[in-house]
Amino acid sequence: MTGKDVPGLEEAQSVIPAGTKINVTFLGNEDLDMRVAAAKAVKDMGFVPVPHISARRLASRAQLEEFLGRLQEVGATEHVFVVGGDPAEPEGPYGSSFDVIHTGLLLDYGVREVSIAGYPEGHPDIASDVLWKHLEDKSAALSEQGLDAVILTQFAFDTDPVLAWIDQVRQRGIASQIRIGTPGPAGIKRLLGFARRFGIGANAMIVKKYGFSLTNLMGTAGPDTFVTDLSALLAEDPASGPVKLHFYTFGGLKATSDWANSFIAARS
């Protein structure tokens, strides 16, 4: 959710299980008060806030400390997601998420678990070997600080690159929980727009496998096939380690939650 999505969270509150992790984004068009208020709302409604810390959007160490301090005041620092962020040039001293982790400040403000980004299909602006080095360096730094790590991935439409990437993560000795980014039900044009923006594979074969057609962009699509196939394939591979899902709520918090509840009910 964004800082503006508190009304949407209130609408979805009754259909989201208590204790669910809910990420709160760090957008350039939202301010400190909005981000903290959203994290507090998540906590007050019985969920687990995971505020984003966007390294490149931080103008100074003092701003980072102010953000962490305000989050700690509302009980929202146990879980955070540290990400590089969108700006091409850093607005302050932190050029990457590793730079934030390396400060050692997270422990000072009660952080226990840090989510870091994973890219099964690569990143449009970062070379593959650089991504792997960053992942290894961040994992090592968090381990040295005694912090739990979760790898939260960009969303995907196709199980093949996801499974190949998980295999590479484990071969590199990284045993952290992985949460695979999964698009919640949304309009097809909207989903494809996000895919193009983030460099996600969305060719005709993949989207047909996912369950929608490039010739009909007016409908909606959900991740039923993707989740079912991923679950079955992971069950065949015990070496994949702990893997869960992270939903990108492109169609809204309630629509995603309703879909999840219906999917679970159908399987049981």
Side-chain angles (χ1 to χ4, degrees), residues 64-82:
L64 171 59
E65 293 201 66
E66 181 184 15
F67 185 41
L68 289 170
R70 290 282 301 277
L71 289 172
Q72 190 175 37
E73 288 174 2
V74 299
T77 54
E78 287 194 6
H79 306 262
V80 297
F81 176 40
V82 185

Side-chain angles (χ1 to χ4, degrees), residues 15-16 26 45 94 100 105 113 117-118 124 127 136 179 195 201 207 229:
V15 292
I16 303 176
F26 192 115
M45 291 186 213
Y94 309 117
V100 171
L105 286 172
E113 179 186 272
E136 290 172 337
R179 298 183 79 94
V207 297
D229 291 351

